[in-house]
Amino acid sequence: MVSKHLVFRSETAGNTERLQQANISYFGTSSQIDYDVRNLETSRQVSAGTLGFSRVTGSRDAQGRPLSTTISRLPSAGTTYDAAGRMATQTGLGWSGDGALYTYGDSGNKTAESLPLAYPSSTLEGTYTYTDDG
């Protein structure tokens, strides 16, 4: 038998209702997801029996994109964005050195990436070309 259980907690401030928390149970796995005043996820706790993990989103930029994240007891991860809002770098959580670097062309398409992996210790380099269709 499949069991699904969803619980949402919200609050009303003025004429605006916002989601504060979602609790989800499915196939023996439970998740609790918390949201900030902008309805952006701030934390997630997941458990299945004795196993579990947590993810906490630290800071966000003005557009609401996450700048730092911590998963359970791992080192925190960081993300930067370029002026056009595209992901420029990622650090922590599996990246070595200065982290992953993404490069974009004048058209906005990704043209290159450098992915320095911590495990196994190696760097993957990629370049991209596009047809006239994009």
Side-chain angles (χ1 to χ4, degrees):
M1 181 173 134
V2 174
S3 172
K4 299 180 199 175
H5 183 69
L6 302 173
V7 176
F8 297 97
R9 184 167 52 96
S10 62
E11 71 175 2
T12 302
N15 293 327
T16 304
E17 186 171 13
R18 75 171 190 87
L19 181 63
Q20 289 181 299
Q21 188 178 81
N23 292 290
I24 304 164
S25 297
Y26 189 69
F27 280 116
T29 301
S30 296
S31 299
Q32 176 180 311
I33 307 163
D34 295 307
Y35 300 89
D36 67 11
V37 296
R38 296 182 294 174
N39 286 332
L40 300 173
E41 184 177 318
T42 58
S43 67
R44 179 180 296 240
Q45 308 283 329
V46 179
S47 63
T50 59
L51 303 174
F53 82 91
S54 65
R55 183 183 74 203
V56 176
T57 300
S59 59
R60 293 183 181 271
D61 66 9
Q63 287 74 37
R65 298 174 297 221
L67 298 174
S68 65
T69 304
T70 303
I71 297 178
S72 294
R73 291 176 283 285
L74 297 172
S76 63
T79 305
T80 64
Y81 303 90
D82 65 13
R86 299 169 297 213
M87 189 180 306
T89 65
Q90 289 180 299
T91 58
L93 299 179
W95 304 117
S96 66
D98 292 332
L101 174 65
Y102 306 98
T103 307
Y104 303 89
D106 293 336
S107 67
N109 291 332
K110 185 182 346 178
T111 56
E113 63 187 11
S114 176
L115 308 173
L117 303 176
Y119 309 102
S121 182
S122 62
T123 298
L124 303 175
E125 301 283 342
T127 58
Y128 299 85
T129 57
Y130 300 89
T131 65
D132 291 339
D133 296 333

